Amino acid sequence: MTPSLSLRPVRDTDSAQLLALNSAAVPAVNDLDADDLTALIAASHSAIAVVADAEPDTVLGFAILFAAGADYASENYRYFSGRARTFLYVDRIVVAAGHRGGGLGARLYSAVFDAARALPTDVVFCEVNLRPANPESLAFHDRLGFTEIGQQATKNDTVVVSLLSASVTKVRSASGR
């Protein structure tokens, strides 16, 4: 049986869990140390955690989001900043390995699209690795309605990403409906 889930803002007390989740997801996301994570969350528009209602202090997944106009040096964020005046950018979305495929990513993206509508903006951007390959994430984002608008080599050509865009008004559920 799937546990009842809730979304909540990331708390300062979540840092150790977020670092562990993030580290376990490398190379799908870049590695962070505690200072990098603190700075990233502080600069972000919002950071959201998904938790089981029975264990609200245990983070099962999280997303860190940036709105247009942020002071953020990410190569991918700069790419999107050059293409839209308003947007919401998903810097990272991570779900614990033992909970993937259980709807947590879709739940987080529901909050992402709600946050985009509240800005307001009509587009959400993100990127997914092509090298090293992350086919599960590409398929997940495709089911949500994201489409590729470009590709980019980053991190001194060690990573190639698919740059993705989704219309807030045309978003689908993760099941493709």
Side-chain angles (χ1 to χ4, degrees), residues 22-176:
N22 194 84
S23 293
V26 172
V29 295
N30 63 310
D31 203 11
L32 297 172
D33 64 23
D35 291 339
D36 293 335
L37 176 65
T38 299
L40 190 67
I41 292 171
S44 73
H45 171 270
S46 56
I48 306 161
V50 61
V51 298
D53 290 344
E55 296 182 56
D57 293 329
T58 302
V59 178
L60 304 176
F62 70 96
I64 300 176
L65 314 174
F66 284 82
D71 183 16
Y72 185 38
S74 157
E75 295 168 279
N76 298 317
Y77 179 82
R78 284 194 311 263
Y79 174 92
F80 296 124
S81 292
R83 280 150 184 81
R85 209 171 44 76
T86 66
F87 61 88
L88 190 61
Y89 168 66
V90 180
D91 178 76
R92 68 195 59 231
I93 185 164
V94 176
V95 172
H99 295 278
R100 292 184 190 137
L104 278 72
R107 192 73 184 268
L108 282 164
Y109 261 110
S110 175
V112 168
F113 283 99
D114 287 346
R117 282 186 281 275
L119 276 175
T121 186
D122 61 353
V123 66
V124 171
F125 293 133
C126 68
E127 76 279 341
V128 174
N129 288 356
L130 297 173
R131 188 183 75 224
N134 192 345
E136 295 85 5
S137 184
L138 282 171
F140 172 74
H141 284 86
D142 181 62
R143 286 191 304 272
L144 287 175
F146 280 87
T147 58
E148 184 176 88
I149 59 172
Q151 293 184 6
Q152 175 167 268
T154 64
K155 297 173 183 51
N156 296 318
D157 292 331
T158 60
V159 175
V160 176
V161 296
S162 175
L163 300 150
L164 304 174
S165 173
S167 168
V168 171
T169 58
K170 296 180 182 176
V171 67
R172 298 188 298 255
S173 73
S175 64

